[in-house]
Amino acid sequence: MKGVKERIEIVEGDITKQKVDAIVNAANTSLLGGGGVDGAIHRAAGPELLEECKKIGGCPTGEARVTKGYRLPAKWVIHTVGPVWRGGNANEDELLASCYRNSLKAAKEIGAKTVAFPSISTGAYRFPIDRASEIALKETAKFLENDDFIEKVIFVCFGEQALNIYKETFKRLFGD
Ligand code: APR
């Protein structure tokens, strides 16, 4: 099995277009859709996604719930709810880390070998993206160090600024 570094990829693009087994959605606790990446995923997946989400009945912050991907190229959507940034003293770091950990755990449970993440909580939830990128990459590396099932984790950055931040953080953590 490849090392951790070789199994992490950082790209710029639209997560709804990713041809992976599972994409992760930055949802809210209701799981009833929203704006941002949540809105994009629901639009691309079609109305059956919301129907399935309604049956789940919500998701606490930091946890993950799985649905089918419907019209998306991805077979599954892993919905996770990131923390709203409140200044950094409300356990935001740990809650964000648990989003990545629980999403990867869920991916393994459904047999998804390739997983794409958006930059959770860094939009409407205002989590500083440089800090979030470090948590995302560290938590994913920690998971992959103890797992040889997941083959590829792709961080899909929406825009060049986010891409540069994730690439810088990756370089700082893992070297060139
Ligand atoms: N593909 C990849 N990334 C995207 C896409 C897309 N199509 N659209 C937006 N993003 C990026 C944003 O640029 C940001 O970097 O996803 C990241 C997360 O931003 P949000 O979607 O605003 O998610 P978040 O900050 O976690 O806030 C969640 O917003 O949409 C509502 O229902 C959602 O209430 C929840 C809240």
Side-chain angles (χ1 to χ4, degrees):
M1 172 51 71
K2 287 184 183 163
V4 168
K5 263 183 81 170
E6 293 70 27
R7 288 186 279 162
I8 293 177
E9 218 172 290
I10 298 168
V11 301
E12 182 183 357
D14 177 346
I15 199 165
T16 66
K17 307 264 190 282
Q18 299 298 313
K19 294 178 177 47
V20 290
D21 295 337
I23 63 169
V24 177
N25 181 22
N28 59 59
T29 52
S30 75
L31 291 187
L32 298 180
V37 71
D38 195 3
I41 288 174
H42 275 272
R43 275 193 301 280
E48 294 133 307
L49 179 59
L50 181 58
E51 288 318 302
E52 186 175 358
C53 283
K54 283 178 183 167
K55 295 185 188 114
I56 296 173
C59 177
T61 299
E63 294 190 21
R65 299 290 185 272
V66 178
T67 66
K68 291 196 283 294
Y70 298 104
R71 298 177 195 164
L72 286 160
K75 186 175 177 193
W76 309 98
V77 180
I78 298 170
H79 305 262
T80 192
V81 181
V84 175
W85 180 253
R86 291 192 172 82
N89 300 313
N91 203 26
E92 296 99 322
D93 287 3
E94 177 41 39
L95 284 167
L96 185 62
S98 56
C99 284
Y100 288 91
R101 192 168 49 247
N102 287 328
S103 297
L104 290 167
K105 255 170 59 187
K108 188 166 176 169
E109 280 156 15
I110 59 178
K113 290 180 178 281
T114 54
V115 186
F117 280 100
S119 182
I120 299 166
S121 280
T122 63
Y125 283 1
R126 299 187 324 282
F127 201 116
I129 187 167
D130 44 344
R131 188 182 179 124
S133 64
E134 178 150 345
I135 292 166
L137 290 166
K138 271 183 180 167
E139 202 58 35
T140 300
K142 207 158 66 177
F143 185 95
L144 294 178
E145 271 154 17
N146 303 306
D147 173 82
D148 56 9
F149 176 81
I150 292 187
E151 292 170 358
K152 179 74 78 176
V153 177
I154 304 174
F155 290 90
V156 184
C157 301
F158 204 54
E160 201 177 336
Q161 197 214 0
L163 177 73
N164 293 336
I165 290 169
Y166 268 75
K167 283 191 175 295
E168 270 310 301
T169 304
F170 182 89
K171 212 160 54 180
R172 184 160 37 82
L173 293 175
F174 307 118
D176 247 340

